[in-house]
Amino acid sequence: MDFESVIGLEIHVQIKSKSKMFCSCPSPADDAPANTAICPICTGQPGALPALNGYAVFSAIKAALALKCEIRKESVFARKNYFYPDLPKAYQISQYDKPLAENGKVELPSGKFIRVKRAHLEEDAAKSLHALGSQELDHTLVDFNRCGMPLLEIVSEPDIRTSQEAYEYLTELKKILRWADVSECDMEKGHLRCDVNISIRPMGDKNLGKKVEIKNLNSFKAAKDAIESEIKRQKELFLKGEEIAQDTRLWNEKLQQTISMRSKEMAHDYRYFPEPDLPPLILKDEEIEKAKKEIGELPVEKAKRYISEFSLTQKEAAALSENKHINSYFENILSLNKNKEVLRQAVNLIMTQLFAKINELKIKENEIIEKSITAQNLLQIAELSVKGEISSAAAKKLFEICWDNSLSPAKAVEIHGLKQSGDIGEIEEWVKEAVSANPEAFTDFKNGNEKASGPIVGFVMKKSKGKANPKIVGEILKKIR
Amino acid sequence: METAIKSIEAVKSGKKSVSQITKDFLKKIKEEDSKINSFLEVFEESALKKAEEIDAKISSGKTPGELAGAVFAIKDNMLYEGKEITCASKILKGHISSYNSTAVSKLLEKDAVIIGRTNMDEFAMGSSCENSAYLKTANPIDTQFVPGGSSGGSAAAVKAGFCHIAYGSDTGGSIRQPASFCGIWGMKPTYGRVSRYGLVAFASSLDQIGPMANSWEDLLLGYKAVKGYDEKDSTSIKDITEKGEFNSVKGLKIAVIKNLEKLEGLESDLAETSSNLLSKISSMGAKIIEVDFKSFKYALPAYYILASSEASSNLARFDGFRYGLSLEAPNLTKAYMKNRGEGFGSEVKRRILLGTHSLSSGYYDAYYLKAQKVRNFIRKELEEVFSQADLILTPSSPSAAFKFGEKINDPLSMYLSDIFTIPVNLAGICALSFPFGTRKKDNMPYGFQLMASHMKDEFLIKTAGEISCAL
């Protein structure tokens, strides 16, 4: 029997902000000692009141726009009530029936869209510590540093069908949120947390199966593994004719299986109601327009444009659009150059030379590439190569020379003698030498094996230190065949 | 007793020192408060220290703050850094405020002396102060009677002359009803006019800090001392311009609610006093108009749903872990049950249960949402009245003060005590209670309530002052 899985994801993203959601406490450093970034507001002292962080709101608007959501001009904060030691007010300020954003979508590489049901603002809870290092405690400690940090909850529609799609959705989401500068989305640091809702049904069945929620997935891989394991568990139950309980489960990484945390009967009644301490959040058109401007064209949209307008490959388009800094460098190239051949050469240089540099030097994305090699210089190298003034091997060498160097490529060609030689006499000498050094290859070549010219051309290039124009080398070879 | 205004003048002119004024109050409290029990704690040391600081400032030639010479009491739900705060509840026993409420900050900045924290109904829930976990405050006029509540300690302290001005909080009538029972002035400002930052919340959308005093002049002083926008309270009003300018009672339109005298439980003496008051006001040249207030009877039930709903959430943080009472238990759930079971009194528990139920899934629409609709309706209806009238006049409470034990076992009859004051909180407008007339058999005072629309707080106090002067 074939089954279909119906999967929806709830993502909590920590919004990058200098201060917390409702107080002026600075966002704690990752290694801040416990309970050092706290105040009466975020620890829920009697009498303390929330005051909204406008920067976090602006970030949330950017994220919502990047997720193609409709923005609600008047959204309402609500209290989600439940008792737990990590929630000092015994309610979380969140949004409920009037969230900031609704009806968005995220495109997967396959072209499939996953709809975003809603995105809303809320505050994070504190961290419970059940162990100190490797030492298990017989009590629980609470660190309130994280308490009150701004979160954006993004809820997808149940459009996801496989663990792979879930993985891709998470990957795309991360790209978008990083692009919009909303969050670093570092799962290890808890910037992004993921809950999965999942049910299965026999293929073709219109009715939904019992929904199971999996909580606390702390990596994209954990999400993928948990979904796979859960699909397997549900299928087995189904085939045995047993009922799938509508419960909340936790992913156990060690056991590689989900474990029931609470049943439906034990589900919380959160008793949501409008937060009386905060007036409705009313957004001005200017604010939304400003956010739109800051996000600009999304990576996916850029990639599409690069492929259709500049005939880039999928891989090139993706590489040149995902990262904000590389993209702005590339956009600069695009604005400086209108020649298609030069652009092609420039893209080749970026894909090979520039990325190699970035990997080699472990250049962080926020460091400016422009400082090491200006777009103008890169284009000049590409142009010299297209015009045949330097060989492609020389172009690579030239790139190395110009990196972190104020020398202009033209000047560097002169100084380092990289100019491609068009002197036929000189090249003929080199070819002769090459033929006598590779007699077998030459015989093969004479017998019609075009590929056999390779070692001979290689010899010439080496001998000429890359200066010989390979085109002329080929022509001479054909002549003497 | 001298008013705050007179004392401030006396200090200014060098006739009196702030220390002397403070000492006089402390002496009186020491001698008389054992019978009244208005204070949960007297800040003898810090009050004297502050007084001496102000005197030193004056003697060194500096200009003291505008409240130098005035002595204040605060209700035990306003945070004062370094002082214990309990909301008259066992669950907060021993909790020390870690910061100042905005109202207290403003007072201290202006060189006020804060002499103590006053008794109240636990978490401001009640109308007699009998729900305090610590003390029974008596009415200073006759100690057989309750002082009203929940700000009963503040009302009693003002009436007994233990301070010039006391602050209370008013969620449904908690300033105006005790003011009326004790024969003093009490005011609930427009919602958002006084910062709630540092006021322990009962019902956030209704709570408001307000002054209680022996005269309208001191009431105005007490209001001005704490009013104003506060960025720490997102519900406080940004606009600072008061509305309405008071010229004369003559020509003012004062609305009274049709058929109010037929209300069940309204004392007959009060009905008579009321018509006496009306004829006096109209003889001052004000025009009395009768208006319909159809939603009036729904205000009380709507209030108890909304206030209890918010309270159930606001009081959920008191779990025995971070402040006050902390009893040990074998596990988390039992710790919640034990601390909350032993820490809260029965009225507080009743309201937490009521509010929790009203917000529960399946009941929300029938209770919370419906009550919210009533609230909007009341707001609109009152707006309409204010389009025809400058003020609305009602009694502050259906009766004068009752005796201890008379209503404590009958919550509904206790709740009716606030029937006239509740619509004001639901609409977010301002109102005050001023003393006029007495119950014949025991001479206990009556209080009357004047309401005005949003941001007309000073107009309200000045008009009421003018009326009371002419009575």
Side-chain angles (χ1 to χ4, degrees):
Chain A
M1 191 185 225
D2 278 343
F3 288 95
E4 180 181 52
S5 321
V6 179
I7 303 165
L9 298 186
E10 281 178 31
I11 315 292
H12 289 87
V13 184
Q14 200 173 81
I15 295 173
K16 194 163 72 179
S17 166
K18 285 201 181 95
S19 60
K20 292 189 178 182
M21 186 74 183
F22 296 114
C23 61
S24 52
C25 275
S27 300
D30 294 323
D31 56 354
N35 294 315
T36 52
I38 58 171
C39 77
I41 297 167
C42 58
T43 55
Q45 294 297 303
L49 295 172
L52 188 58
N53 173 346
Y55 180 83
V57 173
F58 186 69
S59 285
I61 299 172
K62 283 201 296 185
L65 289 171
L67 295 169
K68 306 291 168 198
C69 286
E70 295 158 16
I71 307 278
R72 194 189 285 272
K73 293 236 183 93
E74 189 176 329
S75 66
V76 172
F77 287 98
R79 289 187 186 177
K80 180 180 181 179
N81 297 282
Y82 63 96
F83 286 96
Y84 204 68
D86 67 9
L87 195 67
K89 298 190 294 295
Y91 58 81
Q92 177 193 31
I93 304 178
S94 180
Q95 296 191 303
Y96 185 54
D97 55 351
K98 286 176 181 140
L100 183 82
E102 286 163 298
N103 303 326
K105 60 188 176 190
V106 169
E107 188 179 358
L108 304 185
S110 63
K112 175 176 174 173
F113 283 101
I114 305 299
R115 290 171 299 157
V116 171
K117 187 177 180 183
R118 54 185 281 148
H120 70 249
L121 281 161
E122 60 184 33
E123 55 178 344
D124 208 344
K127 225 183 237 170
S128 297
L129 301 169
H130 307 288
L132 277 182
S134 58
Q135 192 199 342
E136 290 282 328
L137 298 171
D138 64 346
H139 54 281
T140 301
L141 296 171
V142 184
D143 176 6
F144 288 95
N145 280 354
R146 195 182 72 181
C147 198
M149 286 294 289
L151 292 182
L152 185 69
E153 180 174 334
I154 302 163
V155 183
S156 85
E157 293 284 1
D159 292 347
I160 298 166
R161 292 288 169 268
T162 63
S163 62
Q164 180 58 27
E165 276 186 3
Y167 187 85
E168 287 171 10
Y169 171 75
L170 285 168
T171 309
E172 291 306 312
L173 202 66
K174 180 174 169 176
K175 274 191 219 161
I176 292 169
L177 294 170
R178 287 175 69 145
W179 176 265
D181 202 24
V182 170
S183 173
E184 290 301 333
C185 294
D186 190 337
M187 268 190 121
E188 269 174 28
K189 289 181 182 163
H191 294 164
L192 199 146
R193 299 194 288 274
C194 171
D195 299 340
V196 173
N197 285 303
I198 177 166
S199 65
I200 60 160
R201 61 184 171 193
M203 196 59 93
D205 207 334
K206 287 274 177 288
N207 296 326
L208 288 168
K210 285 269 171 63
K211 186 179 78 178
V212 168
E213 187 179 7
I214 313 172
K215 280 198 167 296
N216 279 340
L217 298 162
N218 50 22
S219 72
F220 287 8
K221 187 171 176 298
K224 201 176 168 203
D225 293 346
I227 289 169
E228 271 160 29
S229 145
E230 182 59 21
I231 291 172
K232 192 166 157 260
R233 187 187 72 89
Q234 292 191 16
K235 268 187 200 167
E236 281 167 8
L237 284 174
F238 193 98
L239 291 171
K240 273 194 265 178
E242 284 177 33
E243 200 174 333
I244 294 161
Q246 184 175 343
D247 54 4
T248 300
R249 306 178 72 84
L250 285 176
W251 172 241
N252 188 315
E253 193 114 39
K254 268 189 212 147
L255 301 174
Q256 286 286 303
Q257 63 186 45
T258 62
I259 289 165
S260 183
M261 183 173 102
R262 59 170 177 257
S263 64
K264 190 196 173 194
E265 290 70 36
M266 295 296 288
H268 291 299
D269 178 357
Y270 291 120
R271 306 189 308 280
Y272 281 100
F273 74 104
E275 165 59 283
D277 286 331
L278 292 168
L281 171 59
I282 296 166
L283 301 177
K284 290 191 195 110
D285 289 334
E286 302 97 83
E287 227 170 333
I288 299 171
E289 282 310 311
K290 192 177 160 219
K292 267 186 197 159
K293 236 185 208 164
E294 274 193 26
I295 304 166
E297 195 182 20
L298 288 180
V300 194
E301 295 158 354
K302 282 178 187 282
K304 277 188 184 164
R305 182 161 62 87
Y306 296 161
I307 293 166
S308 66
E309 260 182 60
F310 306 112
S311 313
L312 264 58
T313 66
Q314 187 99 36
K315 193 181 159 204
E316 289 165 345
L320 296 175
S321 59
E322 268 162 27
N323 178 290
K324 212 161 208 170
H325 303 280
I326 291 167
N327 180 254
S328 91
Y329 185 77
F330 181 62
E331 285 282 339
N332 202 6
I333 299 248
L334 287 178
S335 69
L336 291 169
N337 169 66
K338 298 290 165 231
N339 183 304
K340 279 209 163 175
E341 274 179 89
V342 173
L343 179 66
R344 165 70 6 232
Q345 196 57 34
V347 168
N348 290 345
L349 281 169
I350 294 172
M351 291 300 290
T352 55
Q353 302 311 108
L354 183 61
F355 278 121
K357 274 280 180 213
I358 288 171
N359 289 335
E360 178 196 322
L361 302 174
K362 294 198 172 66
I363 294 174
K364 293 225 178 90
E365 1 179 74
N366 56 355
E367 263 173 61
I368 306 156
I369 306 153
E370 184 76 14
K371 226 171 72 184
S372 297
I373 187 149
T374 63
Q376 278 98 335
N377 281 359
L378 188 106
L379 279 168
Q380 244 185 66
I381 299 171
E383 212 176 326
L384 288 167
S385 166
V386 167
K387 281 187 186 156
E389 291 191 22
I390 55 170
S391 68
S392 54
K396 286 176 186 175
K397 204 165 174 192
L398 188 54
F399 180 93
E400 286 294 329
I401 293 163
C402 292
W403 183 265
D404 271 339
N405 198 328
S406 57
L407 212 58
S408 83
K411 196 94 186 161
V413 167
E414 257 177 56
I415 294 170
H416 292 268
L418 293 174
K419 199 167 162 61
Q420 193 154 254
S421 172
D423 180 340
I424 295 179
E426 191 180 16
I427 295 173
E428 269 174 354
E429 285 304 309
W430 285 327
V431 171
K432 267 182 210 160
E433 235 179 285
V435 166
S436 55
N438 295 279
E440 281 172 32
F442 189 61
T443 314
D444 278 359
F445 178 69
K446 277 206 288 195
N447 291 338
N449 185 354
E450 297 295 324
K451 275 187 190 157
S453 71
I456 303 163
V457 177
F459 187 95
V460 174
M461 295 315 286
K462 207 173 161 191
K463 189 82 196 162
S464 69
K465 288 180 186 139
K467 283 197 293 188
N469 187 333
K471 229 165 141 188
I472 299 174
V473 175
E475 279 162 15
I476 294 170
L477 264 178
K478 269 180 199 161
K479 246 197 280 175
I480 62 171
R481 173 148 71 177
Chain B
M1 196 194 70
E2 212 171 57
T3 62
I5 289 175
K6 285 262 164 64
S7 291
I8 291 169
E9 276 168 17
V11 167
K12 242 184 216 163
S13 61
K15 278 186 202 138
K16 271 186 181 171
S17 71
V18 180
S19 303
Q20 194 50 55
I21 295 167
T22 308
K23 276 178 194 160
D24 289 348
F25 278 123
L26 286 169
K27 183 164 175 267
K28 197 167 168 67
I29 293 169
K30 234 171 226 170
E31 286 168 1
E32 297 172 24
D33 198 38
S34 57
K35 282 175 283 168
I36 311 294
N37 288 325
S38 55
F39 284 98
L40 283 168
E41 186 184 356
V42 179
F43 304 143
E44 183 168 355
E45 206 176 307
S46 64
L48 278 174
K49 191 170 164 252
K50 176 80 182 174
E52 280 158 17
E53 277 168 23
I54 302 164
D55 286 334
K57 205 189 254 185
I58 295 167
S59 53
S60 72
K62 287 185 195 136
T63 315
E66 60 196 84
L67 295 177
V71 174
F72 295 79
I74 54 173
K75 190 175 176 176
D76 191 29
N77 57 357
M78 294 165 69
L79 273 80
Y80 183 178
E81 193 177 339
K83 308 282 186 205
E84 187 180 2
I85 180 163
T86 69
C87 296
S89 176
K90 272 196 274 182
I91 209 158
L92 270 175
K93 191 177 168 70
H95 178 61
I96 307 295
S97 297
S98 63
Y99 65 98
N100 276 330
S101 56
T102 299
V104 165
S105 284
K106 281 183 187 255
L107 292 175
L108 294 175
E109 273 162 27
K110 292 170 188 159
D111 280 340
V113 168
I114 301 177
I115 203 162
R117 56 185 171 97
T118 58
N119 195 28
M120 58 190 279
D121 285 296
E122 185 180 2
F123 284 106
M125 296 171 184
S127 302
S128 66
C129 261
E130 289 165 290
N131 292 332
S132 166
Y134 301 104
L135 283 177
K136 283 210 180 337
T137 300
N139 193 311
I141 300 167
D142 181 337
T143 54
Q144 294 178 75
F145 292 90
V146 300
S150 65
S151 313
S154 287
V158 167
K159 185 64 189 180
F162 298 154
C163 59
H164 288 119
I165 297 164
Y167 289 96
S169 67
D170 190 316
T171 307
S174 278
I175 287 173
R176 291 158 288 162
Q177 185 259 18
S180 131
F181 278 21
C182 290
I184 62 165
W185 291 70
M187 181 220 190
K188 185 209 90 76
T190 299
Y191 184 79
R193 207 61 186 103
V194 180
S195 171
R196 290 185 297 113
Y197 192 77
L199 169 72
V200 181
F202 160 14
S204 314
S205 75
L206 301 156
D207 296 342
Q208 194 63 191
I209 290 172
M212 304 170 90
N214 278 306
S215 69
W216 74 269
E217 292 96 335
D218 277 3
L219 195 76
L220 184 61
L221 180 82
Y223 165 65
K224 283 180 166 175
V226 293
K227 72 167 188 180
Y229 173 67
D230 179 12
E231 61 176 13
K232 289 187 190 143
D233 175 0
S234 306
T235 62
S236 82
I237 300 171
K238 267 196 180 139
D239 190 357
I240 49 159
T241 337
E242 292 264 345
K243 286 184 183 150
E245 203 172 313
F246 173 72
N247 292 314
S248 160
V249 176
K250 201 175 167 190
L252 284 182
K253 283 183 203 146
I254 295 177
V256 293
I257 297 161
K258 228 178 253 174
N259 296 324
L260 206 63
E261 70 281 359
K262 288 177 192 156
L263 187 89
E264 208 183 323
L266 191 79
E267 280 179 345
S268 55
D269 280 7
L270 178 56
E272 204 185 308
T273 312
S274 186
S275 57
N276 182 10
L277 175 64
L278 280 178
S279 64
K280 286 196 173 185
I281 293 176
S282 83
S283 72
M284 291 173 205
K287 196 179 166 202
I288 309 290
I289 54 170
E290 273 204 329
V291 292
D292 277 324
F293 188 6
K294 291 193 208 81
S295 53
F296 175 70
K297 63 179 170 191
Y298 302 112
L300 193 81
Y303 168 83
Y304 275 93
I305 300 280
L306 296 173
S308 305
S309 295
E310 292 183 23
S312 73
S313 173
N314 283 330
L315 269 57
R317 71 187 64 188
F318 304 111
D319 56 10
F321 286 107
R322 289 174 308 279
Y323 15 70
L325 187 73
S326 193
L327 302 169
E328 284 199 23
N331 63 41
L332 186 59
T333 310
K334 284 192 175 140
Y336 287 139
M337 289 165 76
K338 193 167 185 188
N339 280 287
R340 291 169 68 79
E342 292 184 26
F344 289 134
S346 58
E347 181 62 27
V348 173
K349 283 181 193 161
R350 187 181 353 259
R351 302 216 196 173
I352 290 174
L353 288 170
L354 178 63
T356 305
H357 181 72
S358 306
L359 291 174
S360 296
S361 122
Y363 297 96
Y364 182 86
D365 289 2
Y367 293 106
Y368 182 87
L369 210 59
K370 187 156 269 179
Q372 202 62 270
K373 282 178 188 160
V374 170
R375 182 176 190 173
N376 287 334
F377 199 81
I378 287 169
R379 201 178 275 155
K380 274 190 200 134
E381 218 184 343
L382 282 173
E383 247 170 54
E384 253 167 60
V385 174
F386 284 119
S387 70
Q388 318 159 38
D390 301 291
L391 298 161
I392 301 173
L393 179 74
T394 71
S396 300
S397 190
S399 75
F402 45 85
K403 287 182 178 164
F404 285 101
E406 209 178 309
K407 294 190 177 182
I408 194 70
N409 295 317
D410 183 359
L412 284 181
S413 122
M414 186 78 89
Y415 294 173
L416 278 172
S417 211
D418 288 336
I419 193 161
F420 299 122
T421 47
I422 278 170
V424 170
N425 299 74
L426 290 174
I429 57 174
C430 57
L432 58 73
S433 174
F434 66 97
F436 178 74
T438 56
R439 183 163 56 197
K440 281 173 197 151
K441 65 174 179 191
D442 49 26
N443 244 353
M444 292 307 284
Y446 282 127
F448 284 85
Q449 171 177 243
L450 276 170
M451 312 175 197
S453 66
H454 291 94
M455 294 294 284
K456 290 178 89 170
D457 302 69
E458 289 187 22
F459 165 83
L460 171 71
I461 300 172
K462 286 172 190 163
T463 312
E466 178 88 2
I467 290 171
S468 76
C469 288
L471 289 172

